[in-house]
Amino acid sequence: MEIKRGTKSFYIGESEDQPLAEMTYVLSGGDLIIIDHTYVAEQLGGQGIGKRLLEEVTNWAREENKKIIPLCPYAKAQMEKNEAYHDLLAK
């Protein structure tokens, strides 16, 4: 399944307005990405889609030299327990 980047999310589905899965974000200032929500439809559950969405967001953050504030409980938990993401957490 292809993950697409929209204007306010990374998502799977036909459109950003009706995703099957998404991780939404808000840009703050010049160098922060605030992850505020993760959603995965029931039929996609258990396939690691949330982790794939987070990987896309973190890859983008690295490319753009931005830090992340994970307000979404899922993203926060994943980023705090996985050392590979610690460099991206905003202090």
Side-chain angles (χ1 to χ4, degrees):
M1 275 180 229
E2 180 188 3
I3 296 176
K4 303 168 189 162
R5 182 170 152 223
T7 58
K8 61 181 176 30
S9 69
F10 281 80
Y11 68 97
I12 293 173
E14 290 300 312
S15 74
E16 188 174 19
D17 295 328
Q18 296 183 323
L20 293 172
E22 70 178 346
M23 185 167 283
T24 61
Y25 62 84
V26 176
L27 296 175
S28 178
D31 61 349
L32 287 176
I33 299 168
I34 299 170
I35 299 173
D36 57 5
H37 177 69
T38 302
Y39 164 76
V40 177
E42 213 173 294
Q43 70 259 33
L44 297 180
Q47 298 179 39
I49 300 295
K51 287 182 181 179
R52 286 185 50 210
L53 289 166
L54 182 60
E55 193 172 299
E56 289 293 322
V57 175
T58 55
N59 287 342
W60 174 57
R62 283 196 175 97
E63 288 169 12
E64 298 293 320
N65 208 19
K66 295 184 185 298
K67 296 289 185 185
I68 296 174
I69 298 173
L71 296 183
C72 163
Y74 174 80
K76 182 175 172 50
Q78 291 299 316
M79 290 188 75
E80 287 178 352
K81 78 178 184 182
N82 188 336
E83 284 189 30
Y85 298 137
H86 288 184
D87 63 308
L88 292 171
L89 289 168
K91 302 277 187 261

